[in-house]
Amino acid sequence: MRPRDLLCPKPEGLYCAPGDFFIDPVRPVARALVTHGHSDHARSGHGAVLATQETLDIMALRYGDGFAGSTQVARLGEPVAINGVTVTFHPAGHVLGSAQIAVEHGGMRIVASGDYKRTPDPTCRAFEVVPCDVFISEATFGLPVFRHPPARDEIGRLLKSVSQFPERTHLVGAYALGKAQRVMRLLRDAGYDRPLYIHGALAKLSSYYQRCGIELGPLEPATTDNGAKRDFAGAIVIGPPSAFQDRWARRFPDPLACFASGWMRIRQRARQGGVELPLIISDHSDWDELTATIRDCGASEVWVTHGREEALVRWCELEGISARPLHLVGYEDEGD
Ligand SMILES: [Zn+2]
């Protein structure tokens, strides 16, 4: 059996013909396996969904209980048989509930890693290396220029700015699933114990994280309706990046725009977005994590998807690992 007989790209997503299922399909299908809850990977309208409990919960929070015809919980490390194909979910270290999916058939194992990172994240389980024949890797930050600094140091820069400008409101842009809660947790780990003010779009997911036992400390709504503008002087307000474009953001006193994203490595990108304090905090692997992971899993073949596919393919070839880009469409990760 050739690897592409087990998994191959289709317009709907990655398809397993012998098992008759898709992984992270971007269009409604009969049977979907979902790696994590970001909206480009987890869509509503499938017939049946197999995912971790957290990913199923997150999909229900975002789309409502009827997001799929039926659901099945995938327990980490427990093999599940689908039409004679064995699939096993393993932690991916990306966001709460995120998993890689190992697909095995006829003595071959392909690991679809979804989105992943290797740096420790107190809000989700650590990535697990799964030895395999073929490794499917994302390449969101697949260029050597992308090297993420320790997140702790970036949070240190934020707290330093808060103490330097006590009269200003620090507005931190962070994606609603994963990044926002990671920023909250990192602030708590750095000893920040004052209330964090959050945009309404973060409320449901943040309380879900708390129900899962991830301590985020006191969170309060960042509402300005009662006109008490001065209340937010010196405060940290966290909201989704999209909220920073609208009137909501301008209500705060002398706001200082921060953005927590791997893209903040690119200064021009920060400047264009009007970001005064760029925080390089990413839920994706940087170049060193991508290449280390490819070595660690021992795959003789690598398929590269969403992102800088060509550079990582070239790196693999120079390492003597056969590699090709998958050119899957429809993935614009909401959680960089
Ligand atoms: Zn993601």
Side-chain angles (χ1 to χ4, degrees):
M1 179 187 267
R2 295 169 307 167
R4 70 188 62 185
D5 296 329
L6 184 52
L7 277 178
C8 66
K10 285 202 167 195
E12 297 93 331
L14 210 49
Y15 180 62
C16 174
D20 192 22
F21 60 79
F22 286 88
I23 296 177
D24 290 353
V26 295
R27 300 178 190 169
V29 300
R31 182 182 286 275
L33 277 55
V34 175
T35 59
H36 67 286
H38 279 145
S39 55
D40 51 338
H41 294 260
R43 312 224 179 197
S44 64
H46 303 307
V49 172
L50 175 65
T52 62
Q53 181 69 63
E54 293 89 345
T55 296
L56 293 173
D57 291 343
I58 288 164
M59 290 176 82
L61 282 174
R62 301 188 121 182
Y63 304 126
D65 286 332
F67 69 88
S70 67
T71 60
Q72 185 185 343
V73 175
R75 289 189 181 78
L76 296 172
E78 287 185 17
V80 176
I82 305 175
N83 301 322
V85 175
T86 304
V87 301
T88 315
F89 285 56
H90 300 272
H94 178 55
V95 296
L96 183 61
S98 68
Q100 316 169 66
I101 302 175
V103 178
E104 287 180 81
H105 191 55
M108 181 188 304
R109 183 190 287 156
I110 303 182
V111 169
S113 56
D115 293 333
Y116 67 96
K117 70 174 179 293
R118 304 293 299 271
T119 45
D121 177 347
T123 67
C124 65
R125 282 168 173 272
F127 179 94
E128 196 178 288
V129 172
V130 183
C132 55
D133 303 295
V134 179
F135 184 68
I136 304 176
S137 180
E138 59 136 322
T140 306
F141 294 112
L143 284 176
V145 65
F146 290 111
R147 290 198 158 86
H148 307 323
R152 198 190 319 116
D153 296 354
E154 299 300 285
I155 290 296
R157 292 172 51 238
L158 170 59
L159 289 175
K160 190 174 169 204
S161 178
V162 169
S163 64
Q164 272 174 336
F165 304 104
E167 74 290 353
R168 301 185 69 180
T169 307
H170 283 67
L171 290 185
V172 182
Y175 289 96
L177 169 58
K179 185 67 62 64
Q181 295 78 22
R182 187 173 171 212
V183 165
M184 294 171 197
R185 182 66 236 173
L186 285 164
L187 282 163
R188 300 314 183 193
D189 289 344
Y192 188 84
D193 55 9
R194 284 151 62 189
L196 291 168
Y197 297 90
I198 62 170
H199 185 278
L202 308 184
K204 269 199 288 189
L205 284 164
S206 299
S207 42
Y208 178 69
Y209 268 63
Q210 289 173 309
R211 288 202 299 282
C212 289
I214 296 151
E215 302 284 342
L216 303 176
L219 305 180
E220 289 177 21
T223 44
T224 50
D225 296 343
N226 35 21
K229 237 187 173 187
R230 212 172 301 158
D231 285 354
F232 291 99
I236 298 177
V237 175
I238 304 173
S242 56
F244 288 60
Q245 262 51 267
D246 60 41
R247 280 211 340 250
W248 177 82
R250 293 196 290 273
R251 297 175 183 178
F252 298 100
D254 198 5
L256 195 157
C258 318
F259 185 22
S261 164
W263 295 112
M264 292 298 102
R265 167 64 77 199
I266 312 289
R267 281 168 188 271
Q268 196 188 358
R269 199 137 164 172
R271 259 201 310 274
Q272 279 169 352
V275 177
E276 208 172 324
L277 181 64
L279 303 169
I280 307 167
I281 300 177
S282 177
D283 284 333
H284 291 273
S285 294
D286 67 6
W287 177 255
D288 291 334
E289 292 170 74
L290 292 170
T291 55
T293 305
I294 289 170
R295 284 201 182 103
D296 289 351
C297 68
S300 54
E301 189 170 333
V302 171
W303 299 347
V304 185
T305 177
H306 39 290
R308 306 297 202 281
E309 302 178 341
E310 304 303 335
L312 199 56
V313 165
R314 171 54 68 89
W315 179 88
C316 289
E317 286 166 352
L318 292 173
E319 291 285 309
I321 301 166
S322 105
R324 65 181 179 110
L326 275 189
H327 301 304
L328 291 171
V329 292
Y331 297 93
E332 291 289 327
D333 206 74
E334 65 152 335
D336 50 33

